[in-house]
Amino acid sequence: MNVSVILLTYNSAKSLHKTLTSLTRLSDDIHAVDSFSSDETVEILKSYKVKVVQHEFENYAKQRNWAITNLKTAYDWQLHVDSEEWLSEELIENIKKLDENDLVGINGIMIQRLVVFLNRKILHGGMTPIWHLRLFRSGCGKCEEKKYDQHFMVEGKTIKIEGYILDNICTDLSEFILKHNRWSNLEAEEYLENLKSKSGTSPRVIKGKLFGNSMERKRWFKEAYLKLPLFIRPYLLFFYRYVIKRGFLDGIEGLIFFTLQTFWFRFLIDAKIYEKTTQKKNRSLQ
């Protein structure tokens, strides 16, 4: 089975060598969509013989869908990764072993994502296994149209494959905080837009289903979380992940991760929702 790779980059020089080292072991057709990096990202990509195109970044969903629509990949299957991610040896070998004869009627392949935080794999707190659709037949997949926490969707049947996409979400805490501060704006905006439209889903996003596939179940729990009261739900989420799902077993790194990711980040989103709602009410009273 031959696979083309589509990679999103922006000022990714620090992580790119590790990413490309794993990707070049899988594919000889790697495409990068770069958002006009100002560091050595493009030079590094070209040194690995990656096909580079630059496109203005608006959000992840639009960038990914632009890549799907506009890039001319060599093979029938395409794998989507980000510049902070790399493939495990097991995943590379299992993809190489796939035979087209065994994939008749299959349009997508689900892959586990494993978070790496401060150089530690986060194995507890409900963080693994988390399955994502990252590998699919060209013409059959797209990214759902969400501002944050987007997933790929595919028409037709999917299967799962063993191995991991490892996601290094934190090279340092300052970078983590800056990124999540930006993402909290997107999450708050989308939450308020969905309230205004009185609809949390559309045909262009994955709909939550308690007894659906792994992505649909994850979305169902996310939708249930969003129905809980502001400022209460971050405490409940932290307790669930750190205590009930035993996130404490991931050591000091786990304590930092779950405090920031499942409490601080979610509390910040709620605070921005409250801020935007209050500002709107104050303007209407003036």
Side-chain angles (χ1 to χ4, degrees):
M1 175 181 174
N2 292 315
V3 176
S4 296
V5 176
I6 297 178
L7 171 68
L8 299 188
T9 61
Y10 175 67
N11 288 348
S12 308
K14 289 190 292 185
S15 61
L16 208 46
H17 285 291
K18 190 165 189 175
T19 300
L20 293 171
T21 298
S22 71
L23 293 180
T24 52
R25 293 195 59 242
L26 175 67
S27 176
D28 61 359
D29 184 48
I30 302 174
H31 301 255
V33 180
D34 181 72
S35 305
F36 296 95
S37 293
S38 58
D39 64 0
E40 298 81 21
T41 293
V42 173
E43 288 78 6
I44 295 171
L45 290 168
K46 290 181 177 179
S47 72
Y48 281 85
K49 300 186 181 347
V50 174
K51 303 173 183 70
V52 182
V53 61
Q54 292 188 304
H55 184 259
E56 195 69 41
F57 183 89
E58 186 173 344
N59 62 50
Y60 284 105
K62 290 186 176 181
Q63 194 80 331
R64 285 167 174 151
N65 285 329
W66 183 90
I68 290 170
T69 301
N70 291 279
L71 295 182
K72 305 301 181 184
T73 54
Y75 303 121
D76 290 336
W77 288 83
Q78 53 186 250
L79 173 71
H80 289 257
V81 296
D82 292 334
S83 59
E84 296 84 11
E85 299 175 333
W86 68 94
L87 314 183
S88 71
E89 293 296 322
E90 182 184 18
L91 178 60
I92 293 170
E93 293 305 317
N94 285 336
I95 292 176
K96 287 181 175 180
K97 291 176 184 176
L98 290 172
D99 191 307
E100 281 287 359
N101 294 325
D102 300 324
L103 295 172
V104 176
I106 303 299
N107 287 340
I109 298 175
M110 304 282 288
I111 301 173
Q112 292 185 75
R113 170 176 168 263
L114 181 59
V115 166
V116 179
F117 181 81
L118 295 179
N119 296 317
R120 178 167 184 150
K121 296 176 182 177
I122 303 298
L123 301 174
H124 304 91
M127 295 303 296
T128 185
I130 297 178
W131 294 90
H132 289 265
L133 179 69
R134 293 294 195 91
L135 180 58
F136 51 82
R137 289 188 190 273
S138 296
C140 295
K142 62 181 179 180
C143 185
E144 58 177 340
E145 296 179 10
K146 286 172 67 18
K147 291 184 177 182
Y148 174 72
D149 194 26
Q150 312 91 345
H151 295 278
F152 289 99
M153 310 164 64
V154 71
E155 297 178 6
K157 295 182 180 180
T158 63
I159 60 172
K160 293 180 178 179
I161 191 171
E162 293 301 317
Y164 291 99
I165 291 179
L166 295 104
D167 183 6
N168 184 25
I169 68 168
C170 180
T171 54
D172 61 66
L173 293 177
S174 295
E175 178 189 7
F176 178 95
I177 291 169
L178 287 172
K179 284 184 177 180
H180 283 72
N181 184 45
R182 293 195 300 270
W183 293 340
S184 66
N185 289 330
L186 299 177
E187 184 89 343
E189 289 169 7
E190 192 158 72
Y191 176 86
L192 292 171
E193 288 173 5
N194 288 336
L195 283 182
K196 185 177 180 179
S197 67
K198 297 182 180 179
S199 173
T201 60
S202 79
R204 296 183 298 275
V205 301
I206 297 170
K207 297 181 179 180
K209 293 181 183 179
L210 180 58
F211 300 105
N213 61 37
S214 55
M215 290 192 303
E216 291 169 337
R217 287 196 301 273
K218 181 182 177 184
R219 183 56 52 81
W220 186 91
F221 282 110
K222 175 69 175 292
E223 292 167 358
Y225 169 86
L226 292 175
K227 294 176 183 178
L228 296 173
L230 292 180
F231 303 117
I232 301 298
R233 54 197 188 189
Y235 289 93
L236 297 176
L237 181 61
F238 175 77
F239 183 79
Y240 171 74
R241 289 200 177 276
Y242 192 69
V243 179
I244 296 178
K245 300 296 287 185
R246 301 184 298 169
F248 60 85
L249 293 177
D250 286 314
I252 294 298
E253 292 85 358
L255 174 62
I256 298 170
F257 173 79
F258 289 107
T259 300
L260 292 178
Q261 180 74 21
T262 64
F263 178 72
W264 171 79
F265 177 51
R266 291 295 158 186
F267 194 94
L268 182 61
I269 292 169
D270 284 1
K272 291 186 177 182
I273 292 170
Y274 176 80
E275 177 188 43
K276 293 177 184 295
T277 304
T278 303
Q279 288 174 344
K280 185 177 180 180
K281 288 180 179 177
N282 290 339
R283 283 195 299 267
S284 66
L285 293 174
Q286 292 176 357

